[in-house]
């Protein structure tokens, strides 16, 4: 179901455009024409048209957004908060910036996975030339000189051929794994699964924790700027976080807040 939602870039574009429209004094019910025109995103245009029709019939902005089925629960919660506080334009602008940062972060994640694949494939090409073209030529020359390459002082040529073949297999296997991870990173469910794996790997555990904390603080700042109280902001923030350890820590923090601690 999560994969049917707008991408983070689409959410950023939508929220930023609506915020700009509100600041210009345009009515929310006129959103249907905002995303139309040459080169417009068809999904955004369809959602905006559906929301415009719903709001003309008396629905609120958040209810109209929920009816489209393309907005995640976190975005819908922020929409409602912005409506109740009367700061919908500011809320949408902050939400647009939040999703833009998340989109750029995930683009860098995919790039960091794809770039090593390119290098590994280039290495495979070099190894293939060495293993299947250069080394066989040396083997033929040395065999003609010694009669048996394995029993001669040039046996290291055979070892080099074996090492080259093994290296090629390993490089291809690592490339396939990285490409699979890059493909998973395209979707929200895939990113959540990747995060769960990386949380348990000692070499990546600290980096994943740092990214999760950065996402949490950005999410919390967006919620607080919309006028929501701290307890409700923590509740919505907990729904957004996928890092299990951080979720547990924040859950305990919220319980202490409800007991009167700052």
């Amino acid at each position: 179901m999560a994969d049917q939602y707008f991408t983070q870039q689409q959410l950023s574009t939508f929220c930023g455009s609506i915020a700009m429209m509100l600041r210009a004094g345009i009515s929310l019910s006129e959103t249907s024409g905002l995303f139309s025109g040459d080169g417009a995103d068809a999904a955004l245009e369809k959602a905006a048209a559906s929301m415009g029709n719903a709001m003309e019939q008396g629905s609120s902005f958040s209810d109209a957004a929920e009816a489209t089925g393309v907005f995640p629960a976190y975005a819908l919660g922020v929409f409602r908060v912005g409506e109740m506080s009367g700061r919908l334009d500011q809320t949408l602008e902050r939400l647009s910036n939040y999703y833009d940062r998340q989109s750029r972060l995930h683009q860098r994640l995919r790039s960091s996975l794809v770039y090593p694949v390119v290098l590994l494939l280039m290495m495979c090409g070099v190894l293939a030339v060495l293993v299947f073209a250069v080394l066989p030529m040396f083997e033929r020359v040395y065999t003609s000189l010694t009669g048996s390459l394995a029993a001669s002082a040039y046996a290291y040529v055979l070892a080099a051929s074996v090492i080259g073949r093994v290296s090629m297999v390993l490089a291809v296997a690592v490339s396939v794994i990285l490409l699979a991870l890059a493909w998973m990173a395209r979707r929200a469910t895939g990113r959540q699964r990747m995060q769960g794996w990386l949380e348990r790997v000692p070499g990546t555990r600290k980096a994943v924790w740092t990214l999760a904390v950065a996402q949490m603080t950005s999410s919390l700042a967006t919620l607080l700027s919309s006028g929501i109280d701290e307890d409700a902001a923590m509740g919505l923030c907990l729904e957004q976080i996928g890092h299990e350890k951080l979720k547990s820590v924040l859950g305990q923090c919220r319980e202490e807040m409800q007991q009167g601690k700052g």
Side-chain angles (χ1 to χ4, degrees), residues 229-256:
D229 64 89
E230 293 178 357
D231 182 66
M234 287 289 283
L236 283 173
C237 194
L238 280 168
E239 295 178 5
Q240 179 74 358
I241 293 173
H243 194 288
E244 292 301 324
K245 181 180 178 182
L246 181 59
K247 197 167 187 176
S248 175
V249 171
L250 286 181
Q252 184 177 0
C253 178
R254 189 187 183 194
E255 290 178 2
E256 293 182 0

Side-chain angles (χ1 to χ4, degrees), residues 75-108:
L76 294 173
V78 177
F79 291 166
R80 292 190 180 92
V81 170
E83 281 184 315
M84 289 187 294
S85 64
R87 304 177 185 176
L88 186 58
D89 56 340
Q90 300 174 24
T91 301
L92 289 173
E93 185 175 5
R94 292 296 298 268
L95 196 59
S96 173
N97 294 334
Y98 168 77
Y99 279 120
D100 182 61
R101 287 193 297 271
Q102 294 301 310
S103 176
R104 286 188 278 111
L105 175 63
H106 292 141
Q107 286 176 357
R108 288 196 293 270

Side-chain angles (χ1 to χ4, degrees), residues 41-174:
D41 189 307
L44 290 177
E45 185 176 359
K46 180 179 178 181
S50 174
M51 290 177 63
N53 293 332
M55 286 186 287
E56 286 179 353
Q57 296 174 7
S59 294
S60 65
F61 178 79
S62 58
D63 289 340
E66 185 176 9
T68 63
V70 295
F71 293 94
Y74 174 74
L76 294 173
V78 177
F79 291 166
R80 292 190 180 92
V81 170
E83 281 184 315
M84 289 187 294
S85 64
R87 304 177 185 176
L88 186 58
D89 56 340
Q90 300 174 24
T91 301
L92 289 173
E93 185 175 5
R94 292 296 298 268
L95 196 59
S96 173
N97 294 334
Y98 168 77
Y99 279 120
D100 182 61
R101 287 193 297 271
Q102 294 301 310
S103 176
R104 286 188 278 111
L105 175 63
H106 292 141
Q107 286 176 357
R108 288 196 293 270
L109 173 62
R110 289 193 295 271
S111 298
S112 67
L113 292 171
V114 172
Y115 181 69
V117 172
V118 175
L119 295 180
L120 286 170
L121 293 178
M122 291 174 61
M123 186 180 74
C124 287
V126 173
L127 287 173
V129 173
L130 290 173
V131 171
F132 298 112
V134 177
L135 289 178
M137 180 179 64
F138 279 99
E139 290 177 14
R140 289 192 296 269
V141 172
Y142 292 150
T143 300
S144 65
L145 292 174
T146 62
S148 175
L149 189 61
S152 69
Y154 302 107
Y156 63 82
V157 177
L158 292 176
S161 179
V162 172
I163 292 172
R165 292 171 188 270
V166 172
S167 299
M168 284 182 58
V169 171
L170 291 176
V172 170
V174 173

Side-chain angles (χ1 to χ4, degrees), residues 144-213:
S144 65
L145 292 174
T146 62
S148 175
L149 189 61
S152 69
Y154 302 107
Y156 63 82
V157 177
L158 292 176
S161 179
V162 172
I163 292 172
R165 292 171 188 270
V166 172
S167 299
M168 284 182 58
V169 171
L170 291 176
V172 170
V174 173
S175 298
V176 170
I177 293 173
L178 291 177
L179 284 174
L181 291 175
W183 178 260
M184 288 177 60
R186 295 175 63 250
R187 299 178 179 273
T189 52
R191 289 193 293 270
Q192 291 174 359
R193 194 175 298 116
M194 279 180 59
Q195 180 173 302
W197 296 340
L198 295 175
E199 284 178 29
R200 295 187 287 270
V201 177
T204 58
R205 189 178 299 157
K206 184 176 180 180
V208 173
W209 169 266
T210 303
L211 289 174
V213 171

